[in-house]
Amino acid sequence: EDHAIAQKLTQRFYKLKIQGTQTYYWDSATGGEVQAMHLIALVMQMMSDGQQDLERARALVRNQYFKPLWKQPVYLPNAPVVVMSRGLYRPNLWRRPDVTANPEGKADRFFEHLNDVLGCDDKTNYLLDVLAWRYQHPSEPKPHVALYLFGEQGGAGKSTFAETLTHVFGRESVKTVNTTTELTSKGSVDYWSRTWLVVEEAQISQGTALYDNIKSFTGTDEIDADKKYENVSKHQIPAQLIMLSNRPPAFIEKNDRRFFVCRWHLDIDTPEDGQQYFTSYRRWLESGGYEAIAGHLATRKISADLYQAAPMTPEKVQ
């Protein structure tokens, strides 16, 4: 029994640091710090009834070798909770999505919705190719293209689209921020450390530090940056940026290659019709739609060359 308990302990807990007489451990199940007394209490719980012994539990914790953890995380899709990186054990930010891909599911309702809001098969297919490529190749260098989806009309489903990405790719794979302000803060590299970075209320002007940051972070996979309480160091920035906005972009330069610009508009006459549309759509999403979307992205044949310049849509020309 002691051997089985010890094995469970060393698989779950990693040694973080020693301060004075106290040793701190990292719990891979919760992502939090614990002390030896917490491990001892857990060992007591795992002991058989009638076999619980405090001194035995203390000795069991004291005599284990816990792997040392460097707490600077990495983001490695499809890898374990703790990974070996550059010779060190490090926490992995990635977590498996709750949604399981269902290639047999019918994702037609999703395609219809994208056609409704984008108004064009070519735009829908390009967007689907971008999503499918990241789903199929999450560890490959990102295409250096950002998406800008805008529409003056409220209630057209831009937030629903962001929620759909979160369900399909997983909560730890999609970082959502409310405004672009966060993208100029110290530690903004953390926002770029997932598969997707979604800005819900994008307002950007050409020639600003924010615009320069977005161009730089979109066009590279690794950057030297400082964070609060940390020195300058190298950071992986795998995220592709999706900007949602109520207004057209005011920052696009002539001959721009980075931004895929599309109007997001739903041609519905009354608020009541819009409510009925989204009630039906969300019901489909929650009754197997997310799984069907994931299944389509996992098996979609990608036709666009995503490492070339983003398509020149009519909205971008304008």
Side-chain angles (χ1 to χ4, degrees):
E1 183 184 60
D2 284 7
H3 177 72
I5 292 173
Q7 196 170 35
K8 289 178 181 177
L9 278 183
T10 55
Q11 286 173 348
R12 174 173 170 178
F13 296 97
Y14 292 77
K15 185 179 287 187
L16 267 183
K17 59 188 176 184
I18 299 175
Q19 287 185 339
T21 60
Q22 194 64 255
T23 302
Y24 292 84
Y25 303 87
W26 185 76
D27 182 0
S28 63
T30 66
E33 289 186 20
V34 296
Q35 298 176 18
M37 61 182 179
H38 300 109
L39 273 64
I40 292 167
L42 180 62
V43 169
M44 293 282 286
Q45 287 182 8
M46 290 192 286
M47 286 178 173
S48 304
D49 291 340
Q51 299 294 320
Q52 294 177 344
D53 180 285
L54 181 58
E55 286 307 315
R56 177 179 154 217
R58 283 176 175 160
L60 204 152
V61 171
R62 185 173 58 246
N63 293 330
Q64 296 315 307
Y65 170 73
F66 293 92
K67 300 183 187 80
L69 185 83
W70 184 28
K71 209 177 176 184
Q72 188 178 58
V74 294
Y75 180 75
L76 293 175
N78 301 319
V81 175
V82 175
V83 297
M84 175 69 79
S85 174
R86 298 177 183 174
L88 300 170
Y89 292 103
R90 298 169 68 178
N92 185 9
L93 295 170
W94 180 84
R95 294 292 182 273
R96 192 171 301 282
D98 295 331
V99 165
T100 301
N102 176 19
E104 305 302 318
K106 299 294 185 184
D108 296 18
R109 186 70 187 84
F110 183 54
F111 311 151
E112 292 165 6
H113 172 63
L114 292 181
N115 271 333
D116 287 343
V117 293
L118 299 179
C120 170
D121 285 346
D122 288 344
K123 297 175 193 172
T124 296
N125 282 320
Y126 182 79
L127 179 56
L128 286 170
D129 278 354
V130 172
L131 299 181
W133 199 93
R134 294 313 307 272
Y135 195 91
Q136 294 173 24
H137 308 283
S139 300
E140 291 293 318
K142 68 188 177 199
H144 294 162
V145 171
L147 311 178
Y148 191 97
L149 308 174
F150 73 95
E152 305 82 356
Q153 173 194 42
K158 292 192 292 290
S159 294
T160 300
F161 176 65
E163 290 170 15
T164 300
L165 292 184
T166 301
H167 281 284
V168 170
F169 284 85
R171 296 197 173 276
E172 298 303 325
S173 297
V174 182
K175 184 70 176 178
T176 303
V177 296
N178 293 328
T179 67
T180 48
T181 306
E182 289 95 326
L183 302 188
T184 54
S185 64
K186 268 189 180 281
S188 62
V189 288
D190 286 340
Y191 298 133
W192 295 82
S193 64
R194 306 299 203 272
T195 299
W196 298 106
L197 169 56
V198 179
V199 182
E200 293 196 317
E201 298 293 339
Q203 295 186 38
I204 305 163
S205 299
Q206 198 178 101
T208 61
L210 171 61
Y211 177 57
D212 291 341
N213 271 9
I214 286 174
K215 281 205 305 181
S216 173
F217 281 44
T218 295
T220 189
D221 305 303
E222 190 176 71
I223 199 164
D224 289 314
D226 61 340
K227 293 169 60 175
K228 197 172 183 181
Y229 308 123
E230 293 183 21
N231 295 324
V232 173
S233 57
K234 202 169 286 295
H235 298 270
Q236 301 293 325
I237 47 172
Q240 260 185 287
L241 179 65
I242 299 177
M243 294 170 282
L244 309 176
S245 183
N246 293 328
R247 64 199 74 192
F251 57 85
I252 302 297
E253 298 173 327
K254 188 176 181 180
N255 301 321
D256 171 80
R257 297 172 56 84
R258 287 185 176 89
F259 297 98
F260 175 66
V261 180
C262 269
R263 186 170 185 238
W264 187 282
H265 178 82
L266 193 58
D267 192 12
I268 287 182
D269 294 331
T270 67
E272 291 75 21
D273 289 341
Q275 184 175 6
Q276 186 176 3
Y277 177 97
F278 279 106
T279 298
S280 169
Y281 180 56
R282 289 195 182 99
R283 189 181 297 124
W284 173 80
L285 285 172
E286 292 165 5
S287 58
Y290 293 127
E291 289 80 1
I293 293 169
H296 173 76
L297 297 183
T299 56
R300 180 179 175 85
K301 185 177 179 181
I302 299 165
S303 57
D305 185 348
L306 302 175
Y307 288 96
Q308 296 299 315
M312 187 62 72
T313 62
E315 299 94 315
K316 188 171 179 179
V317 172
Q318 188 178 18

